[in-house]
Amino acid sequence: MTTVQQPLLTPVRLGDLELPNRVVMAPLTRARAANTDLAPTRLHPAYYAQRAGAGLIVSEGTWVSDRAIGYLNVPGIYSEAQVAGWTAVTRAVHDAGGRIVSQLGHVGSVSHPDHLGGRQPVGPSAVNPGEKTFIPTLGLTDTGTPRAFRADEIAATIEDYRAAAANARRAGFDGIELHAQGSQLVAQFLNPRLNQRTDAYGGSQDRRARFLFDVIAAVGEVWSSGRIGVKLSPYWTNGSAFTADEDTLADYDRLIARLTSAGLGYLHIMGPASAPERLTSFARYRSLYDGTIVANVGFTRDSGNDIVERGLADAVSFGAPFIANPDLVARFAGGHPLADADRNTLYGGGAEGYTDYPTSHATHLT
Ligand SMILES: Cc1cc2nc3c(=O)[nH]c(=O)nc-3n(C[C@H](O)[C@H](O)[C@H](O)COP(=O)(O)O)c2cc1C
């Protein structure tokens, strides 16, 4: 029997990053940093090292400052304790033969004073994103109207990204990814419903994108552009401000085309949920963007191999599948079935549902 190598299992170069396969572990917030430092614990190195078979691991979204916080028990990368915690993670991943980049995030207005030491959340403009945020006293609660960033606060926030990128370097990461997807601060700046500024950061699409380009330039003082990735979600629909209407998609098309000039290591794009629509959108992004693309949302082994085979993406990221299948690449290689994650242990808690998912080999032995 002849075996044909699966496209996902072939090596690829993303900017300065050499990957032995094209299976990327998507960033996954797991909320296991239940300590006052918001630092990775001793569970984190074990969790990430178990998944080192991925061509590249993108860390869970991590805060660039204590003003960036919007969920409980999610680690940051702005303090020495956090850098020490992440250093143990990168060592464990490298010792296991893997590569890992740090995903740098800030939730802007999608937060609550309880996450911010009593301070009011800040956004591009004073517009309530109409989202929910989880706080211990009330559980899931509605977001309020944020305060608009002052110009000096925008500069300080861009500096926070630069400092966090420098911390990621000291912690031994192989690069960084900017968390510009979902309802995050970068996406809030891009969104004309949330960004009603009249200064250089608001108005036309190019001006709304300025915050992202300024952040890319700032982290580019620390990392070569070939070690910087950006994760975008043109199709994101959430709260009262995020819709994927025609104008939104056209805005993102323009942004994606413009990002070619940044010379990024890779552009990580969340496509639409529907499989046929996914192919057409990635064909469009391929023609707009001259660089390497990591495709995401809802891929399986077969659809992942297919999109790489078609030449519409250079690599494919898998989020949910990596939770219960630490050896996802080996399972793809062997054609083994995938396990489902326990939804009750996605966020928070300890080792259960985090570091205790067996490998396929172990499963077959039991
Ligand atoms: C538990 C969980 C946590 C997530 N946390 C993050 C995150 O921190 N940063 C991010 O960019 N995306 C996050 N995502 C989105 C994933 O990276 C990915 O885009 C999404 O799961 C779709 O990919 P999939 O269909 O392969 O799961 C999260 C998804 C899940 C299920």
Side-chain angles (χ1 to χ4, degrees):
M1 193 180 96
T2 52
T3 50
V4 179
Q5 179 70 298
Q6 298 175 46
L8 277 177
L9 303 183
T10 60
V12 68
R13 191 184 172 95
L14 305 184
D16 296 352
L17 300 166
E18 299 273 2
L19 278 49
N21 63 65
R22 299 168 190 249
V23 179
V24 173
M25 177 174 161
L28 293 168
T29 290
R30 306 298 312 280
R32 259 49 178 202
N35 55 77
T36 48
D37 286 328
L38 294 181
T41 69
R42 58 179 183 77
L43 287 178
H44 289 76
Y47 165 78
Y48 282 108
Q50 287 169 349
R51 288 154 181 79
L56 180 67
I57 295 173
V58 183
S59 83
E60 63 210 270
T62 181
W63 312 120
V64 296
S65 75
D66 67 0
R67 291 172 293 277
I69 299 173
Y71 325 120
L72 292 179
N73 302 335
V74 170
I77 188 152
Y78 53 85
S79 74
E80 288 310 307
Q82 293 161 351
V83 171
W86 284 117
T87 302
V89 169
T90 63
R91 271 204 200 115
V93 169
H94 291 152
D95 287 351
R99 291 137 302 278
I100 181 166
V101 296
S102 169
Q103 196 193 43
L104 304 182
H106 189 310
V107 293
S109 61
V110 184
S111 188
H112 187 278
D114 284 13
H115 294 305
L116 301 169
R119 291 169 293 188
Q120 187 184 6
V122 187
S125 301
V127 180
N128 187 339
E131 303 234 358
K132 303 270 184 199
T133 177
F134 186 92
I135 52 168
T137 44
L138 298 173
L140 260 193
T141 186
D142 292 333
T143 53
T145 301
R147 188 166 64 70
F149 269 109
R150 295 187 312 263
D152 63 309
E153 287 174 314
I154 293 185
T157 304
I158 292 167
E159 168 56 22
D160 288 340
Y161 276 93
R162 194 204 57 77
N167 285 343
R169 199 171 171 125
R170 282 198 295 134
F173 280 99
D174 297 295
I176 56 127
E177 178 178 288
L178 297 176
H179 191 340
Q181 65 132 64
S183 307
Q184 288 260 324
L185 179 61
V186 174
Q188 292 166 26
F189 267 97
L190 294 171
N191 185 325
R193 288 170 287 278
L194 295 178
N195 179 353
Q196 299 179 355
R197 301 183 72 88
T198 52
D199 63 4
Y201 292 93
S204 66
Q205 198 281 330
D206 288 4
R207 281 167 175 250
R208 281 180 274 119
R210 178 168 172 179
F211 181 73
L212 173 59
F213 280 96
D214 281 5
V215 170
I216 293 172
V219 298
E221 291 173 22
V222 179
W223 291 97
S224 66
S225 60
R227 289 180 182 271
I228 299 171
V230 171
K231 188 172 184 225
L232 296 175
S233 55
Y235 291 85
W236 183 251
T237 301
N238 210 43
S240 54
F242 287 96
T243 59
D245 58 20
E246 256 178 52
D247 289 345
T248 305
L249 294 178
D251 261 16
Y252 271 94
D253 281 0
R254 177 167 170 82
L255 172 65
I256 286 167
R258 285 183 68 215
L259 278 169
T260 297
S261 68
L264 300 171
Y266 65 90
L267 187 57
H268 194 171
I269 307 177
M270 294 179 76
S274 115
E277 210 190 324
R278 221 161 43 204
L279 286 180
T280 24
S281 14
F282 280 103
R284 193 170 81 248
Y285 296 140
R286 192 54 135 183
S287 68
L288 289 169
Y289 181 72
D290 188 10
T292 43
I293 293 179
V294 178
N296 176 246
V297 178
F299 283 96
T300 60
R301 183 179 88 140
D302 289 349
S303 61
N305 277 316
D306 178 58
I307 198 162
V308 174
E309 176 100 71
R310 288 171 189 262
L312 301 183
D314 301 283
V316 177
S317 77
F318 297 85
F322 259 109
I323 294 174
N325 301 279
D327 57 339
L328 188 66
V329 175
R331 291 195 197 213
F332 283 174
H336 299 310
L338 300 191
D340 289 326
D342 173 5
R343 301 200 64 78
N344 297 317
T345 50
L346 286 182
Y347 304 107
E352 192 194 345
Y354 189 54
T355 49
D356 61 356
Y357 285 111
T359 60
S360 178
H361 178 64
T363 312
H364 287 153
L365 291 179
T366 55

